[in-house]
Amino acid sequence: MKTKANVLAAALLLAALASGFGQPVITNQPSWQTNAVGSTAMFSVGATGAPPLFYQWRFNSADRAGATNDTLILPNVQTTNQGNYSVVVSNVEGSATSAVARLYVIVPPSITRQPTNFPVLSIGASVSNRVAASSATPLSYQWRRDGMNLAAKTNATLVLTNVQLADTGDYTVVVTNLAGSTNSQVARLTVDPAFIKITTGSIVTDHATSLGCSWGDFDNDGFLDLFVANSTYPNTPWGRNFLYHNNGDGTFSAITSGSIVTEAGIIRPGLGGF
């Protein structure tokens, strides 16, 4: 009879274990997650064992007051909520501790370098502006002029070529990450219409070691001509002065004869002069 009783007890124990009785066993671990600041984070756990089951959530190894359900809800998370979460599941038979689930809390980007006002001295020039921001996640950029998105201007650096009067305006950039976006301060672009940048012809393609330049009407035709003073080292072929005749139509022609363009200052190493 005693043997039959032992067998019956063992069978009952196995049946109880099969039906979920006994010490808690965690069947569904809480998951790691990343949340934007201000959002709601939620951890959950699944467990079997002899009822009733009791739960105690922990934050960075310390019990979290009132967190005694199988689901932990954290509304309006802040950076102070970032850390390691786990849960202890217990019953009269014992306890089991879950794996650690980490909560990351990200914030909108912080701009560390603001764009600055960028005056353009002449029509046709090229300019650039730059923004820098810190973030724990990848950043995206959208430059705007007068509140309107600029097509394809989606880098940290804004480059504008061949600037025209129509490009004048207030420029900002919206910096975005997974947590939200931040608007930069306004940077004003102004264009001086008095000058137009010349991009072709000898006046912009000639190269030399230039020391200075001056404007003057050398041939008394009523148009200002351009003189560029160049220098050279001894025994080198470059460095002759440049003189450009103003054609009166926005173009210039290089003067190639005469002592003013065939002489040059000489840099003498160690003497600091010419």
Side-chain angles (χ1 to χ4, degrees), residues 80-96:
T80 53
N81 298 120
Q82 181 168 285
N84 295 325
Y85 290 81
S86 60
V87 58
V88 178
V89 184
S90 60
N91 63 8
V92 294
E93 301 292 338
S95 64

Side-chain angles (χ1 to χ4, degrees), residues 114-183:
Q114 296 282 354
T116 57
N117 293 335
F118 45 138
V120 179
L121 299 180
S122 63
I123 295 174
S126 297
V127 294
S128 64
N129 219 319
R130 186 166 71 90
V131 68
S134 61
S135 171
T137 58
L139 294 171
S140 61
Y141 305 88
Q142 177 59 64
W143 286 89
R144 314 186 82 193
R145 183 182 69 237
D146 297 332
M148 301 296 292
N149 289 347
L150 294 172
K153 301 302 182 181
T154 55
N155 296 314
T157 299
L158 171 69
V159 178
L160 301 174
T161 59
N162 190 26
V163 172
Q164 303 297 311
L165 289 176
D167 295 311
T168 299
D170 292 331
Y171 287 75
T172 58
V173 57
V174 181
V175 186
T176 305
N177 68 4
L178 293 176
S181 61
T182 301
N183 294 320

